[in-house]
Amino acid sequence: MKMFYKTILFALGLLAGHTVYAASSGSMMLQSGDFVGYSFWLISMALAAATVFFLMESLRIGGKWATSLTVSALVTFIAAFHYFYMREVWVTTGSTPTDFRYIDWLLTVPLLMIEFYLILSAITKVSGGVFWRLLIGTLVMLVPGYMGEAGYLNATIGFVIGMVGWAYILFEIFAGEASRVAASQASAAVQKSYGLMKWTVTIGWAIYPIGYFLGYLAGGTDEGTLNIVYNLADVLNKIAFGLFIWYAANEDTSGR
Ligand SMILES: *C/C=C(C)/C=C/C=C(C)/C=C/C1=C(C)CCCC1(C)C
């Protein structure tokens, strides 16, 4: 237990230290009226607060749910850090922080995929294949997407291959082994949260390829709008996603 508290304190210390450093470096001047900048600011704080919440709840609820809730905290923790940097890129240069976004995605999306495996593992035995297939789908989706945005690959080809990766993930969670396990063996609470997570990956995630399409394939769009849209998408796909797991954990353990 003590170890957990030390870890939480360490995480908070890192976040606080970085914020003080960034604020004192003098380069970061949020201008009044910069609504995109506001959204970066608000969401970085929401992600930091969500991290503390998930860590504390992982201690309180514990048991077989501890790992899922800790992974939720890792997602928001990694994203909070990237948001501090993305915010700085935006307020100092007014440009889109594409590289930071993709590095963040490359770390957080596989962690979100692991969550499907973890919530099912908390209630029954699941084969490791579920985890590996979702991980492969993630890489097929993100690597060509990055190469397309950064100019290493034709933007259309990057988009098409990325869509195949996403389709594969959707197939696995709607019709593959994971969905069969959820339907046949999961408790009511886990089934409900599995359903919410599945639809988040469908509807919430659709926002990113739509952004890519508008930005690179349909003649370009206003960078400010695109960043606000991506930022709001992250609130849903990172914070709300974690809350769906937290909901199942609470329901599942409230009878104890
Ligand atoms: C927390 C960040 C998340 C959940 C990011 C998700 C990103 C995607 C679902 C990106 C999807 C893309 C495609 C489906 C096609 C190619 C372009 C991408 C990479 C934007």
Side-chain angles (χ1 to χ4, degrees), residues 224-255:
T225 314
L226 197 62
N227 276 289
I228 288 190
V229 169
Y230 274 167
N231 290 356
L232 292 175
D234 281 348
V235 174
L236 174 63
N237 297 318
K238 294 182 164 73
I239 299 177
F241 192 92
L243 288 173
F244 297 151
I245 292 165
W246 173 77
Y247 166 82
N250 268 311
E251 290 283 301
D252 212 52
T253 52
S254 57

Side-chain angles (χ1 to χ4, degrees), residues 7-251:
T7 312
I8 290 175
L9 278 176
F10 179 69
L12 288 178
L14 271 178
L15 281 170
H18 181 83
T19 309
V20 170
Y21 159 79
S24 64
S25 71
S27 59
M28 228 163 63
M29 288 294 162
L30 183 62
Q31 301 292 322
S32 181
D34 176 4
F35 289 96
V36 183
Y38 295 168
S39 79
F40 274 115
W41 202 284
L42 284 169
I43 292 165
S44 43
M45 289 307 141
L47 287 163
T51 304
V52 178
F53 178 75
F54 291 136
L55 283 176
M56 298 308 289
E57 288 297 285
S58 138
L59 289 181
R60 185 182 67 80
I61 297 172
K64 41 192 190 166
W65 288 99
T67 315
S68 315
L69 290 166
T70 303
V71 172
S72 297
L74 292 182
V75 168
T76 51
F77 182 75
I78 292 168
F81 257 87
H82 283 89
Y83 264 77
F84 291 137
Y85 285 98
M86 293 200 288
R87 180 181 69 197
E88 193 159 358
V89 169
W90 177 264
V91 300
T92 55
T93 68
S95 63
T96 302
T98 305
D99 295 315
F100 281 131
R101 272 209 201 275
Y102 272 87
I103 296 169
D104 174 73
W105 293 357
L106 209 55
L107 294 166
T108 55
V109 175
L111 288 171
L112 293 170
M113 295 284 81
I114 290 174
E115 294 282 34
F116 280 95
Y117 174 77
L118 288 175
I119 67 156
L120 296 177
S121 300
I123 41 134
T124 183
K125 179 119 190 60
V126 193
S127 88
V130 168
F131 163 73
W132 288 110
R133 285 192 295 275
L134 291 173
L135 190 68
I136 290 167
T138 302
L139 293 176
V140 173
M141 176 176 87
L142 294 180
V143 173
Y146 174 73
M147 291 172 74
E149 286 206 47
Y152 297 116
L153 185 71
N154 172 283
T156 310
I157 295 174
F159 182 77
V160 171
I161 303 175
M163 291 297 276
V164 171
W166 182 38
Y168 184 62
I169 292 171
L170 291 175
F171 170 79
E172 177 64 33
I173 59 180
F174 274 86
E177 187 189 340
S179 78
R180 285 193 298 274
V181 172
S184 61
Q185 294 170 55
S187 64
V190 170
Q191 277 189 15
K192 195 159 177 191
S193 104
Y194 186 93
L196 287 165
M197 288 159 65
K198 179 172 90 174
W199 284 105
T200 306
V201 170
T202 312
I203 297 166
W205 285 24
I207 298 167
Y208 306 99
I210 291 171
Y212 182 108
F213 184 83
L214 294 176
Y216 297 92
L217 305 178
T221 177
D222 157 45
E223 286 198 39
T225 314
L226 197 62
N227 276 289
I228 288 190
V229 169
Y230 274 167
N231 290 356
L232 292 175
D234 281 348
V235 174
L236 174 63
N237 297 318
K238 294 182 164 73
I239 299 177
F241 192 92
L243 288 173
F244 297 151
I245 292 165
W246 173 77
Y247 166 82
N250 268 311
E251 290 283 301

